[in-house]
Amino acid sequence: MAWCICNSVSHHFRNDYNAVKYNYKMPWFSPNKFKGDRMQWWYRTLVNKYPQQDQVIKMAYVNCNHGNFHVSEYNVGLYEELEKWLQSQSYNFEKALTECRKRYTDVSKIKDFRKYEHHSGYPYKDFDFHCKPEHDVMTPPFASGRIDFKVRVITNLICGWADQYQKSGDTETLHWPQTYEAIKRHEPFLSQWINIKKMKKIAYKVFTNTM
């Protein structure tokens, strides 16, 4: 199973394929294919150390995301960082959103603050404003590279801001196509490990409380 997971996740990040949707299976996967793989020792070693399927998925996911596509290249430190972030996901998410809100509502800290104002003059203090592309901003605030990529994926899972922005056709940044593609590649994995309902409550709490 580890062989199937690692190879399917590798294809997920390199080709037009959804490893989660197809349950980490591909037409050419077979017991004989695995037996013929001279690198099978690496997979057996991985399973001995990380026997749970979810652990193997996380290991493959975070490493393929960093360009380590073969099990022999896997970095355990990346896996441990992901596990640590997920274990404190509520705290990490709230902290990131709090910083995001401050960045877009503190006039003294941003020179081009005007472009992040609604036409009424009300700044982007409301979570819904961050999620809609129709307020004449260059790009939605959550598209900013300053924001943790996992947070960008989670906020899209909550309100679909990236999907709306993509459909709007007003995507002026040259980096957006790659950013959107990356968000959609990460969603199937992070949606398994993130408590979306809890994250949504945190998001509305951060953007509705007075700071």
Side-chain angles (χ1 to χ4, degrees):
M1 188 59 192
W3 180 77
C4 292
I5 290 172
C6 294
N7 281 283
S8 62
V9 174
S10 176
H11 278 275
H12 178 99
F13 279 94
R14 292 190 292 179
N15 302 293
D16 185 17
Y17 167 78
N18 189 324
V20 179
K21 179 180 179 180
Y22 294 108
N23 198 26
Y24 308 99
K25 296 177 181 178
M26 298 190 77
W28 56 273
F29 287 177
S30 69
N32 287 334
K33 276 287 186 180
F34 173 67
K35 291 178 182 178
D37 191 331
R38 296 181 180 180
M39 305 292 284
Q40 61 179 269
W41 175 83
W42 288 97
Y43 300 99
R44 297 186 187 281
T45 301
L46 178 65
V47 172
N48 287 336
K49 191 170 183 179
Y50 301 96
Q52 297 180 16
Q53 180 172 311
D54 191 58
Q55 292 177 312
V56 177
I57 293 172
K58 289 175 180 174
M59 180 72 78
Y61 159 74
V62 72
N63 272 280
C64 287
N65 178 45
H66 282 78
N68 304 329
F69 294 112
H70 193 270
V71 64
S72 62
E73 303 172 322
Y74 284 2
N75 183 331
V76 175
L78 294 174
Y79 165 78
E80 292 175 344
E81 286 179 11
L82 175 64
E83 283 284 24
K84 184 178 179 180
W85 195 96
L86 291 173
Q87 288 170 7
S88 304
Q89 60 182 265
S90 295
Y91 170 80
N92 291 325
F93 186 63
E94 183 168 351
K95 180 181 178 182
L97 289 193
T98 300
E99 292 174 354
C100 179
R101 177 181 170 179
K102 288 179 179 178
R103 184 176 301 123
Y104 290 101
T105 56
D106 189 340
V107 184
S108 65
K109 290 186 179 181
I110 184 165
K111 295 180 180 178
D112 52 353
F113 175 78
R114 286 289 172 183
K115 75 178 183 181
Y116 294 105
E117 284 189 5
H118 185 240
H119 60 78
S120 65
Y122 183 77
Y124 277 72
K125 291 182 180 179
D126 186 274
F127 179 67
D128 289 329
F129 274 4
H130 281 68
C131 306
K132 298 177 181 178
E134 64 264 28
H135 295 304
D136 299 322
V137 294
M138 291 285 287
T139 57
F142 287 137
S144 171
R146 298 176 180 177
I147 299 172
D148 186 310
F149 194 81
K150 291 185 287 295
V151 173
R152 285 188 269 176
V153 175
I154 295 170
T155 49
N156 190 54
L157 288 169
I158 292 174
C159 65
W161 68 266
D163 298 326
Q164 294 181 60
Y165 185 53
Q166 178 71 5
K167 291 177 182 178
S168 73
D170 189 28
T171 52
E172 298 182 21
T173 172
L174 295 175
H175 300 291
W176 174 252
Q178 293 86 351
T179 299
Y180 184 68
E181 181 182 346
I183 288 173
K184 301 310 289 183
R185 285 190 187 277
H186 284 259
E187 278 187 350
F189 294 99
L190 289 178
S191 61
Q192 300 178 78
W193 309 314
I194 299 296
N195 187 330
I196 300 300
K197 289 184 178 180
K198 190 172 184 179
M199 297 302 105
K200 189 171 184 177
K201 290 180 179 179
I202 290 173
Y204 278 92
K205 181 186 77 172
V206 170
F207 286 97
T208 55
N209 286 351
T210 303
M211 299 182 70

